[in-house]
């Protein structure tokens, strides 16, 4: 059973030693089976982007890491709450320090890939966010947050290396 309520408030929020809010996010992705196999990962893969709660911009699901969950559980929860997807949280892409757009504060963000296995018809924030599957190129162009773009580039490089290794071992 999936909870259709987003967590609210900051009472369980984790903070770094320097007082920065710890934020966890993910890049939901899938391979497009309608596209012919090619060496161009940008065409073979799609990522799921969401709007901000105010309805503008393009970003990946992210939010506070809370004290009653592991970091991967937090990434999975954010994907469910904000984008309505579930899947396998993979190895961490990295850690970034960035300035909040709405608060005069710096946050520490950690991003993970999420290999999507299920897209839900109903999810907690469906009334305040839009979601859309886009190509890697569209995400690069539309995402305004530099740290999220860097995470996307790391994911593309990682997956390109994996597919190259698989292809080489099959030859």
């Amino acid at each position: 059973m999936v909870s259709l309520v987003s967590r609210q408030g900051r009472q369980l929020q984790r903070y770094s030693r320097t007082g920065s809010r710890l934020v966890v996010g993910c890049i939901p992705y899938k391979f497009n089976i309608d596209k012919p196999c090619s060496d161009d990962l940008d065409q073979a893969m799609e990522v799921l982007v969401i709007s901000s709660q105010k309805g503008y911009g393009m970003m990946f699901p992210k939010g506070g890491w809370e004290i009653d969950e592991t970091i991967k559980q937090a990434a999975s929860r954010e994907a469910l709450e904000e984008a309505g997807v579930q899947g396998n949280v993979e190895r961490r892409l990295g850690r970034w320090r960035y300035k909040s757009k709405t608060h005069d504060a710096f946050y520490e963000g950690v991003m993970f890939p999420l290999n999507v296995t299920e897209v839900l018809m109903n999810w907690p924030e469906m009334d305040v966010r839009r979601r859309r599957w886009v190509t890697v190129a569209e995400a690069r162009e539309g995402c305004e947050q530099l740290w999220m773009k860097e995470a996307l580039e790391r994911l593309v490089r990682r997956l390109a290396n994996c597919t190259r290794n698989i292809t080489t071992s099959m030859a």
Side-chain angles (χ1 to χ4, degrees):
M1 182 70 173
V2 173
S3 170
L4 290 180
V5 178
S6 291
R7 287 188 172 197
Q8 301 290 318
R10 299 253 165 97
Q11 54 273 33
L12 298 177
Q13 176 66 56
R14 290 181 193 243
Y15 293 88
S16 72
R17 288 185 193 94
T18 60
S20 298
R21 183 172 176 233
L22 296 177
V23 171
V24 179
C26 64
I27 301 176
Y29 76 94
K30 68 178 181 177
F31 289 98
N32 190 340
I33 58 174
D34 296 330
K35 300 272 183 180
C37 287
S38 73
D39 291 334
D40 187 4
L41 198 58
D42 284 12
Q43 296 302 314
M45 183 174 91
E46 292 182 326
V47 294
L48 186 65
V49 293
I50 59 170
S51 65
S52 71
Q53 284 189 336
K54 293 181 177 66
Y56 54 84
M58 182 186 288
M59 67 180 67
F60 298 113
K62 63 147 179 63
W65 177 17
E66 300 185 353
I67 59 175
D68 64 342
E69 61 191 354
T70 68
I71 195 166
K72 285 188 172 185
Q73 287 171 333
S76 185
R77 175 180 51 77
E78 290 299 333
L80 172 69
E81 289 178 358
E82 295 184 354
V85 292
Q86 294 181 305
N88 300 313
V89 178
E90 299 173 346
R91 185 171 44 96
R92 181 172 107 166
L93 293 165
R95 183 181 209 116
W96 291 265
R97 186 169 160 80
Y98 68 97
K99 186 165 183 355
S100 169
K101 285 186 170 187
T102 56
H103 299 93
D104 187 28
F106 281 91
Y107 295 161
E108 290 183 29
V110 178
M111 291 293 280
F112 292 89
L114 180 84
N115 188 345
V116 173
T117 58
E118 185 176 5
V119 179
L120 304 173
M121 296 303 292
N122 297 298
W123 69 96
E125 296 185 18
M126 64 187 282
D127 293 333
V128 293
R129 294 188 191 273
R130 290 184 319 277
R131 66 180 180 191
R132 185 167 58 110
W133 287 103
V134 298
T135 65
V136 171
E138 289 172 306
R140 278 185 189 117
E141 188 171 319
C143 185
E144 298 172 1
Q145 298 183 22
L146 181 61
W147 70 284
M148 287 189 176
K149 285 183 180 186
E150 289 177 6
L152 178 61
E153 291 309 316
R154 288 184 187 182
L155 174 59
V156 170
R157 275 195 311 271
R158 180 184 296 172
L159 292 175
N161 287 337
C162 287
T163 53
R164 231 185 329 272
N165 291 340
I166 291 169
T167 305
T168 303
S169 67
M170 294 175 78

